[in-house]
């Protein structure tokens, strides 16, 4: 039943035009999440745009995937790809406490950007299967999500390996479409 709901939502989402950027530190689980989204879909992958940006097109939906770990020198050029972004998916490795500060910095840098002012933010607290990981509530508190008033946001715990939680995240994104 879950798979069916997921397939329905996914096709609903992808048959309209959206631009989604998937960001997060390297190793957070971005590729794994996208792979779960794309299973059974015919995917067109563009040649890598930059050394840390990849574009994937499914039906009318464009996904730009960025690794933001240890790429400080390249960050300034990302702005080029921000325009018309509807959704930011921020993937957090819930076991990686040390680097959550970098994620926080990047999140607020993006939210302050003019071209992303209309973007809604979905935060995936990934790797919830790992022992000792931070909960979504802990991550939410650390990232001070409740202080974000100018962007719709939602945090969802998930496990990209099993796909658990991804459906709920997509559901939230789909629910936002009618709102704007
Ligand atoms: P990235 O694209 O953000 O850099 P990847 O991250 O999707 O390549 O994932 C990095 C590693 O984390 C991979 O392990 C992947 O299998 C693992 N991973 C992703 N999601 C989860 C999860 O929910 N739980 C657990 N336990 N691991 C996860 P490898 O070993 O292939 O490098
Ligand atoms: Mg990757």
């Amino acid at each position: 039943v879950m798979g069916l709901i997921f397939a329905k939502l996914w096709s609903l989402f992808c048959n309209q035009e959206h631009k989604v950027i998937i960001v997060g530190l390297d190793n957070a689980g971005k590729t794994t999440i996208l792979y779960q989204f794309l299973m059974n879909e015919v995917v067109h992958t563009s040649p890598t745009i930059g050394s840390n940006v990849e574009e994937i097109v499914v039906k009318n939906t464009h996904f730009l995937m960025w690794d933001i770990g240890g790429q400080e020198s390249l960050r300034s050029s990302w702005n080029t790809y921000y325009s018309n972004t509807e959704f930011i998916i921020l993937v957090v490795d819930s076991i990686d406490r040390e680097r959550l500060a970098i994620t926080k910095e990047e999140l607020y840098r993006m939210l302050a950007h003019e071209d992303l002012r209309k973007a809604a933010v979905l935060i995936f607290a990934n790797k919830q299967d790992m022992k000792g990981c931070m909960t979504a509530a802990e991550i939410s508190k650390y990232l001070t999500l409740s202080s974000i008033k100018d962007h719709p946001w939602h945090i969802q715990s998930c496990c990209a390996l099993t796909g658990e939680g991804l459906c709920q995240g997509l559901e939230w994104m789909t629910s936002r479409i009618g709102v704007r």
Side-chain angles (χ1 to χ4, degrees):
V1 177
M2 208 63 171
L4 213 69
I5 296 168
F6 186 77
K8 265 226 161 96
L9 282 170
W10 178 246
S11 101
L12 181 71
F13 190 78
C14 286
N15 279 314
Q16 301 161 321
E17 245 178 90
H18 306 289
K19 183 169 163 190
V20 183
I21 61 178
I22 303 177
V23 299
L25 299 180
D26 52 281
N27 205 48
K30 298 178 296 298
T31 302
T32 312
I33 286 175
L34 199 66
Y35 177 78
Q36 288 279 2
F37 278 164
L38 301 181
M39 272 200 299
N40 309 315
E41 288 284 343
V42 180
V43 180
H44 164 71
T45 311
S46 307
T48 300
I49 300 173
S51 53
N52 60 339
V53 188
E54 276 182 82
E55 184 177 29
I56 287 159
V57 184
V58 188
K59 292 177 188 160
N60 283 320
T61 303
H62 291 243
F63 295 92
L64 280 173
M65 192 145 69
W66 298 352
D67 290 317
I68 61 177
Q71 302 278 353
E72 201 146 8
S73 60
L74 295 166
R75 279 174 201 168
S76 52
S77 66
W78 293 354
N79 306 353
T80 325
Y81 308 114
Y82 282 166
S83 61
N84 301 316
T85 296
E86 279 182 63
F87 295 98
I88 301 168
I89 298 179
L90 173 63
V91 184
V92 177
D93 179 344
S94 305
I95 201 83
D96 191 354
R97 292 170 193 269
E98 281 86 50
R99 295 198 299 167
L100 193 54
I102 303 173
T103 301
K104 183 176 184 179
E105 201 180 298
E106 289 299 335
L107 170 64
Y108 285 94
R109 195 199 306 271
M110 286 190 293
L111 293 182
H113 199 279
E114 168 73 9
D115 289 344
L116 293 175
R117 70 186 185 285
K118 286 183 182 163
V121 189
L122 172 65
I123 298 112
F124 273 128
N126 191 33
K127 306 197 185 182
Q128 287 295 311
D129 59 308
M130 302 281 283
K131 212 175 169 200
C133 72
M134 295 175 283
T135 63
E138 280 175 88
I139 292 168
S140 177
K141 194 173 173 198
Y142 188 91
L143 297 178
T144 59
L145 296 181
S146 58
S147 73
I148 301 172
K149 311 287 186 205
D150 49 356
H151 291 79
W153 60 268
H154 180 74
I155 186 162
Q156 172 67 51
S157 53
C158 73
C159 173
L161 286 186
T162 62
E164 216 177 322
L166 298 183
C167 191
Q168 288 92 325
L170 188 59
E171 203 165 71
W172 180 76
M173 285 166 67
T174 309
S175 77
R176 292 295 320 164
I177 295 170
V179 177
R180 57 200 55 238

